[in-house]
Amino acid sequence: MQERLEAKEARLAMEFPLFMEREAPVTKSKGMIDIECGFVGLIDGTDIDLVQKAVVTVTSLCPCSKEISDYGAHNQRGAVTVEVRTRKNADGTPISMPMGDLIFAAEESASCRIYPVLKRPDERWITMEAYENPVFVEDMVRGVAERLRDDERVESFRVHARNFESIHGHDAFAETSWSR
């Protein structure tokens, strides 16, 4: 595009759903989940800048609710947005990083991942899994950030988490960014 338009620089943004088959934790029922993914690329002369993004839906369980309740705790769905700029190879091209790595970092930082097909035994397992792994939005952001900071491929990142609160009149969110 840059060459064809005889431009000094060019920018391209793409968004797409990434479909992944996932089986339920107990019944093994299979279904497809979709994860919003994308790339923003900028080429300026021969310098290439590429940011990749994944928006991952997760489950979180409120640690405060768990601590103050005689039984149970409130759960909510959340969205963890991970944007990563990777380091560059010797030839100046960005190092490849599979979208699955961004998705894994988000899901591993939540109370539990989302499943597309659930029967009662699966719901029971998810409820108990989340109960054993309570996290605030700040905890999810911190968990993703720690994983990405330790990844030598990563040059910089931005992580944003938003919980669609189930008992509050507002959503909870947290965000952080980092650069090597």
Side-chain angles (χ1 to χ4, degrees):
M1 185 174 77
Q2 177 192 24
E3 290 173 15
R4 188 172 190 178
L5 296 175
E6 298 177 15
K8 179 181 180 289
E9 68 177 39
R11 181 178 186 270
L12 176 66
M14 295 184 291
E15 289 189 357
F16 55 92
L18 176 65
F19 292 97
M20 297 171 53
E21 184 176 76
R22 179 167 291 168
E23 64 179 37
V26 178
T27 64
K28 307 301 181 196
S29 300
K30 292 182 181 177
M32 300 297 283
I33 62 166
D34 65 301
I35 297 169
E36 179 187 325
C37 295
F39 294 98
V40 175
L42 176 68
I43 185 166
D44 184 353
T46 58
D47 186 39
I48 300 171
D49 182 52
L50 183 67
V51 174
Q52 58 189 101
K53 171 183 170 180
V55 181
V56 184
T57 304
V58 296
T59 296
S60 67
L61 181 128
C62 178
C64 182
S65 176
K66 179 179 175 179
E67 183 179 321
I68 65 174
S69 299
D70 291 335
Y71 51 89
H74 78 91
N75 293 273
Q76 53 271 323
R77 235 178 354 99
V80 179
T81 303
V82 184
E83 296 174 323
V84 171
R85 177 177 285 110
T86 58
R87 297 172 111 176
K88 295 185 179 178
N89 292 305
D91 66 359
T93 59
I95 293 172
S96 176
M97 187 168 191
M99 283 293 182
D101 292 359
L102 304 183
I103 296 164
F104 179 79
E107 289 181 334
E108 288 297 304
S109 299
S111 295
C112 190
R113 64 177 24 164
I114 296 289
Y115 296 88
V117 179
L118 299 174
K119 305 293 185 195
R120 281 189 164 176
D122 301 309
E123 288 185 14
R124 179 179 186 275
W125 185 92
I126 288 167
T127 302
M128 292 177 5
E129 176 74 9
Y131 190 79
E132 294 301 321
N133 298 293
V135 292
F136 293 114
V137 287
E138 297 90 346
D139 299 324
M140 288 191 289
V141 164
R142 198 173 7 263
V144 175
E146 288 170 0
R147 284 172 173 78
L148 295 177
R149 256 194 245 95
D150 291 342
D151 191 323
E152 288 297 318
R153 298 171 295 180
V154 175
E155 177 65 31
S156 63
F157 62 78
R158 183 182 81 86
V159 180
H160 177 90
R162 177 180 177 187
N163 276 348
F164 308 109
E165 291 290 333
S166 59
I167 64 170
H168 300 291
H170 61 276
D171 290 343
F173 67 91
E175 181 173 307
T176 192
S177 59
W178 177 83
S179 184
R180 195 170 294 282

